[in-house]
Amino acid sequence: MQRWKSILAPVLIFGLGMIAGGTVVTLVVVHKVRHFIDAGPDETVAKAGALVARRLDLDAAQRQTLAPVLTDLQTGFSELRLETMPKVRRLILDAETRLRPSLRPDQQAKLDQLLAAPKARWQSHIPKASPPPPPDSATP
């Protein structure tokens, strides 16, 4: 019996250490990814540029070439987001509409809380529309 305890104790300690370490690493990675995603377009381009420049060991001239490429990429992502977000919203709202009637009032309140943060993030990622052109002075 004593032999099993002496074998099982280190195995359990090692296993629990792996689980704890994996959990911490996962939380840190998720936090960093979320921070990167939630950053504004300028900050995202700057962070991505710094990461690529560091990983590729770019010189000053190459970094200057990289900046407009990343800016164009960010613009393309913003345009893609404008095209796809209405469809994504419709899908999620449809799922919410279908699910809500089967939930108790307390569950509906929890659903509202669950969806509040993602809805706020969606709003923050909608690119600002350009202001409408000024009215033409030639037309009445």
Side-chain angles (χ1 to χ4, degrees):
M1 184 72 160
Q2 185 66 21
R3 182 174 176 198
W4 283 104
K5 287 182 182 179
S6 63
I7 294 172
L8 188 59
V11 169
L12 283 174
I13 291 171
F14 181 74
L16 291 173
M18 283 179 41
I19 291 170
T23 302
V24 169
V25 167
T26 300
L27 291 173
V28 167
V29 168
V30 166
H31 174 74
K32 285 190 175 235
V33 168
R34 184 165 307 253
H35 180 72
F36 188 78
I37 290 171
D38 289 342
D42 294 335
E43 187 178 347
T44 301
V45 168
K47 285 183 177 186
L51 177 68
V52 170
R54 187 175 64 245
R55 295 264 173 101
L56 296 179
D57 193 27
L58 300 180
D59 61 30
Q62 291 170 319
R63 287 176 192 242
Q64 287 181 339
T65 304
L66 176 65
V69 171
L70 291 177
T71 300
D72 291 346
L73 182 63
Q74 180 63 34
T75 301
F77 283 146
S78 293
E79 291 170 359
L80 184 62
R81 193 174 288 127
L82 276 177
E83 293 173 17
T84 59
M85 281 310 291
K87 293 176 185 177
V88 170
R89 275 203 197 109
R90 277 195 300 273
L91 287 171
I92 293 172
L93 289 175
D94 178 57
E96 178 185 356
T97 303
R98 291 173 45 208
L99 178 63
R100 191 170 290 281
S102 65
L103 299 176
R104 297 185 312 263
D106 63 314
Q107 293 170 323
Q108 289 178 3
K110 286 182 183 178
L111 179 64
D112 292 337
Q113 289 175 347
L114 285 172
L115 293 177
K119 285 180 180 180
R121 265 196 310 276
W122 296 340
Q123 286 302 115
S124 70
H125 285 296
I126 294 174
K128 305 291 185 255
S130 57
D136 189 14
S137 58
T139 57

